[in-house]
């Protein structure tokens, strides 16, 4: 095993009972400088990209990582599941009674951090308990609730986060991904694709934007413990070079993303479903049609300055991004997509405040749209829950079109402008009327209907002319038919009726 600091490792091994295979590393003080220097350098050349920060961590000092809901103290026994892989970051010094480590894992010690054992109970801790570190294997890359987005690193550090639809809450292909400095983590990157392309990744304060360098890190002990799953994260994807914005690219994982989302109950009567979102929302949606002179980042800054800074709109969540809106013939048949800017406005209530902001934005576009590179904009109409306006309207127009065509054809046929093609002549078919048989006997005293003509039995006087075949004794006629004895079964007197 290789240790970054033998002195630190020796100190821990002397103070704490260690069980199982483990790795200890200490962080150099220079990581604190990397947090400031290297991350700021990643701002250079960033265009229309966001910073997406992973929220969970596997830090020792995070009480949510422990099954007892609090950080272990000097009277506690600390346990890591022996079958789980974990990378734990320790920022300060902690007292413990005992520590049981996993078979495969690491503890990353910040400068000056460590563990020590006290004799007896810790007076500040009380009665000791056995506390276990929670499993982090279930935390998935494509869970939008586990990410925060910001336009700049300063906004990210100051907590000024952006709202996005679910697809864009997960890192897009041109985004910079940030795992918090002085922190470790574990994330499942499994998806239907073999790779997850992004622009860059920052881990423990170090920025990776080279494919080869980050691939080497993924193969390291820390990389294997922090990233796991069937897909591999790749860096070096180019920035968005289009000032009008770029498509996020997460539509291929829409179902996977939405499988992690639970939709809440809505208080509005007519919710909306934004493109790229998993749930219907109460609010407003503006669709912007733009020209080549449109700049997405400039317009986002304009909206923040003009409207979102106003006290009446302080509760508003606004997401703005380029989307590829599916085009459908008659609202049903897909035939391509068109790029548009989608603005999603939420107020967390019935949507009335969102509609007011949408109207203010439309007024601003009408006044200054030509200078902003905006060709037009409209507020998307609301729809009833569970319905699809485009599909319903398209279906109605489709039915009307079919009916119109039928009416036109009928009118043309009646006026003789269009004639139906003549059918090829068919050979005459014998009439079925001769085969009809009336099975109803109206009058038992009248002659019985014997169906078709039988030259033998319909004329009983002809029987005398056929010698030796039948005798008159073997044939009898009744009102229900003619009976005869079959000579081949004469001994059994089998009776047949015609």
């Amino acid at each position: 095993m290789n240790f970054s600091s033998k002195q630190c490792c020796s100190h821990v091994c002397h103070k704490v009972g260690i069980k199982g295979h483990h790795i200890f590393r200490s962080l150099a003080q220079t990581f604190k400088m990397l947090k400031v220097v290297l991350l700021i350098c990643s701002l250079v050349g960033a265009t229309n990209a966001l910073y997406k920060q992973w929220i969970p961590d596997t830090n020792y000092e995070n009480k949510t990582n422990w099954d007892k809901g609090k950080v272990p103290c000097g009277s506690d026994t600390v346990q890591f599941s022996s079958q789980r892989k974990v990378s734990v970051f320790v920022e300060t010094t902690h007292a413990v009674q005992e520590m049981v480590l996993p078979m495969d894992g690491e503890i990353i010690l910040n400068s000056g951090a460590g563990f020590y054992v006290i004799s007896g109970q810790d007076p500040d801790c009380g009665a000791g308990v056995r506390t276990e570190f929670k499993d982090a294997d279930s935390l998935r890359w494509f869970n939008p609730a586990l990410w925060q987005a910001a336009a700049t690193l300063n906004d990210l550090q100051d907590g000024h986060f952006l709202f996005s639809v679910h697809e864009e809450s997960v890192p897009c292909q041109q985004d910079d991904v940030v795992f918090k400095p002085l922190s470790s983590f574990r994330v499942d990157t499994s998806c239907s694709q073999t790779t997850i392309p992004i622009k860059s990744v920052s881990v423990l304060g170090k920025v990776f934007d080279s494919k080869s360098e980050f691939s080497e890190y993924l193969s390291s002990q820390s990389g294997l413990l922090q990233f796991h799953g069937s897909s591999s994260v790749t860096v070096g994807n180019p920035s968005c070079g289009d000032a009008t914005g770029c498509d996020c690219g997460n539509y291929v994982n829409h179902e996977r993303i939405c499988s992690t989302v639970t939709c809440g109950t809505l208080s509005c009567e007519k919710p909306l479903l934004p493109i790229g979102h998993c749930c219907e929302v109460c609010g407003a949606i503006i669709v912007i049609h733009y020209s080549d002179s449109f700049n997405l980042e400039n317009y986002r800054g304009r909206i923040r300055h003009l409207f979102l800074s106003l006290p009446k709109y302080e509760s508003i969540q606004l997401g703005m991004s380029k989307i590829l809106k599916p085009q459908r013939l008659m609202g049903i048949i897909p035939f391509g997509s068109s790029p548009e800017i989608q603005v999603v406005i939420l107020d967390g209530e019935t949507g009335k405040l969102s509609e007011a902001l949408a109207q203010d934005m439309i007024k601003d576009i009408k006044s200054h749209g030509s200078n902003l590179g905006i060709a037009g904009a409209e507020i998307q109409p609301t729809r009833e829950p569970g319905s699809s306006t485009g599909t319903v309207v398209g279906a109605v127009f489709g039915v009307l079109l079919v009916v119109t065509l039928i009416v036109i054809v009928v009118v043309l046929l009646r006026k003789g402008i269009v004639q139906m093609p003549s059918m090829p002549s068919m050979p005459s078919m014998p009439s079925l009327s001769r085969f009809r048989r009336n099975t109803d006997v109206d009058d038992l005293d009248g002659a019985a209907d014997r169906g078709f003509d039988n030259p033998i039995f319909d004329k009983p006087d002809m029987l005398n002319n056929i010698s030796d075949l039948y005798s008159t004794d073997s044939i009898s006629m009744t009102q229900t038919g003619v009976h005869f004895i079959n000579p081949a079964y004469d001994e059994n007197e089998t009776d047949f009726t015609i």
Side-chain angles (χ1 to χ4, degrees):
M1 289 180 287
N2 296 322
F3 298 102
S4 300
S5 173
K6 294 182 179 179
Q7 180 179 1
C8 179
C9 178
S10 175
H11 166 73
V12 173
C13 291
H14 175 70
K15 294 293 184 179
V16 184
I18 303 297
K19 300 180 181 179
H21 173 67
H22 58 279
I23 294 177
F24 287 108
R25 294 192 300 133
S26 65
L27 292 178
Q29 189 69 25
T30 54
F31 274 137
K32 295 182 179 180
M33 297 178 61
L34 289 173
K35 172 184 177 183
V36 179
V37 179
L38 293 177
L39 290 182
I40 290 178
C41 289
S42 66
L43 279 171
V44 179
T47 304
N48 289 330
L50 297 180
Y51 291 89
K52 304 288 177 64
Q53 180 172 266
W54 180 252
I55 298 174
D57 60 50
T58 52
N59 288 7
Y60 191 93
E61 288 81 10
N62 187 345
K63 64 180 181 179
T64 63
N65 289 330
W66 298 96
D67 63 346
K68 297 298 188 294
K70 65 182 185 68
V71 179
C73 54
S75 301
D76 296 336
T77 297
V78 176
Q79 180 171 350
F80 295 89
S81 176
S82 60
Q83 303 302 320
R84 299 294 182 184
K85 297 181 179 181
V86 66
S87 173
V88 179
F89 184 89
V90 183
E91 188 171 359
T92 61
T93 302
H94 296 273
V96 295
Q97 288 287 325
E98 182 184 5
M99 179 179 289
V100 181
L101 296 178
M103 295 297 295
D104 190 3
E106 69 176 2
I107 292 180
I108 304 173
L109 298 176
N110 189 26
S111 177
F115 297 95
Y116 64 93
V117 176
I118 63 173
S119 59
Q121 288 189 350
D122 185 346
D124 297 328
C125 185
V129 296
R130 178 175 291 272
T131 181
E132 185 171 353
F133 199 82
K134 288 183 180 179
D135 177 26
D137 282 357
S138 61
L139 302 177
R140 291 190 279 174
W141 178 282
F142 288 98
N143 186 344
L146 303 182
W147 295 95
Q148 295 168 329
T152 66
L153 278 175
N154 287 334
D155 287 345
L156 196 63
Q157 294 166 359
D158 295 339
H160 298 155
F161 304 123
L162 297 175
F163 165 77
S164 301
V165 294
H166 289 129
E167 278 185 13
E168 297 171 17
S169 297
V170 176
C172 300
Q173 55 191 354
Q174 61 274 352
D175 286 341
D176 296 286
V177 173
V178 177
F179 292 94
K180 289 176 288 187
L182 301 180
S183 174
S184 192
F185 58 92
R186 184 164 173 81
V187 55
D188 183 358
T189 59
S190 299
C191 70
S192 55
Q193 288 73 42
T194 57
T195 61
I196 304 173
I198 54 176
K199 182 187 172 188
S200 69
V201 174
S202 173
V203 180
L204 290 171
K206 178 176 176 54
V207 176
F208 294 93
D209 54 11
S210 167
K211 289 184 178 180
S212 59
E213 187 180 11
F214 187 60
S215 178
E216 182 179 351
Y217 179 80
L218 290 178
S219 301
S220 67
Q221 177 70 17
S222 294
L224 292 172
L225 291 173
Q226 292 168 342
F227 297 90
H228 70 104
S230 61
S231 303
S232 177
V233 178
T234 60
V235 301
N237 213 48
S239 302
C240 176
D242 187 351
T244 64
C246 292
D247 177 55
C248 177
N250 275 336
Y251 63 90
V252 295
N253 290 298
H254 181 81
E255 295 300 326
R256 183 179 295 272
I257 292 171
C258 290
S259 67
T260 67
V261 176
T262 301
C263 299
T265 304
L266 301 178
S267 58
C268 55
E269 295 181 356
K270 298 179 179 180
L272 298 167
L273 182 61
I275 293 177
H277 210 54
C278 302
C279 305
E280 294 178 326
V281 297
C282 296
I285 298 176
I286 299 178
V287 177
I288 297 177
H289 310 282
Y290 60 89
S291 63
D292 293 338
S293 61
F294 178 76
N295 187 295
L296 180 61
E297 291 304 316
N298 290 346
Y299 187 65
R300 182 183 281 122
R302 178 183 179 85
I303 298 303
R304 184 185 299 114
H305 174 70
L306 289 181
F307 302 111
L308 298 184
S309 60
L310 299 177
K312 66 176 181 178
Y313 291 139
E314 63 182 4
S315 62
I316 286 289
Q317 288 183 310
L318 187 145
M320 184 185 306
S321 60
K322 176 183 282 188
I323 60 170
L324 298 178
K325 186 175 182 179
Q327 299 296 301
R328 297 180 182 274
L329 181 63
M330 298 184 298
I332 302 176
I333 305 173
F335 66 92
S337 60
S338 63
E340 296 175 345
I341 302 300
Q342 176 180 256
V343 182
V344 181
I345 310 171
L346 307 181
D347 56 30
E349 298 179 0
T350 60
K352 297 298 183 182
L353 190 60
S354 300
E355 293 175 2
L357 175 56
Q359 293 293 344
D360 288 345
M361 292 178 60
I362 291 295
K363 291 177 183 178
D364 180 62
I365 289 173
K366 289 180 178 179
S367 301
H368 307 282
S370 58
N371 299 326
L372 299 172
I374 298 177
E378 66 269 356
I379 299 177
Q380 180 175 310
T382 58
R383 62 185 179 85
E384 296 295 338
S387 66
S388 177
T389 303
T391 302
V392 173
V393 173
V396 171
F397 275 109
V399 172
L400 291 177
L401 180 61
V402 172
V403 172
T404 302
L405 291 175
I406 294 175
V407 171
I408 292 175
V409 171
V410 171
V411 171
L412 294 177
L413 287 174
R414 288 183 175 274
K415 291 186 176 182
I417 299 176
V418 175
Q419 295 182 351
M420 291 290 291
S422 58
M423 298 296 291
S425 59
M426 299 293 291
S428 59
M429 298 292 293
S431 175
L432 296 177
S433 60
R434 63 180 298 180
F435 298 108
R436 294 174 183 168
R437 178 176 180 180
N438 186 5
T439 57
D440 297 331
V441 181
D442 297 330
D443 187 4
L444 295 177
D445 294 334
D449 183 4
R450 298 177 180 82
F452 56 89
D453 295 337
N454 191 315
I456 297 179
F457 296 104
D458 282 353
K459 298 180 180 180
D461 56 345
M462 295 181 62
L463 295 175
N464 295 329
N465 298 330
I466 304 176
S467 60
D468 300 330
L469 181 61
Y470 296 104
S471 64
T472 57
D473 295 335
S474 63
I475 300 176
S476 62
M477 298 182 61
T478 68
Q479 291 179 335
T480 61
V482 179
H483 301 263
F484 71 96
I485 303 299
N486 190 332
Y489 300 91
D490 181 54
E491 294 179 0
N492 298 325
E493 293 183 322
T494 304
D495 185 77
F496 289 83
T497 302
I498 297 179

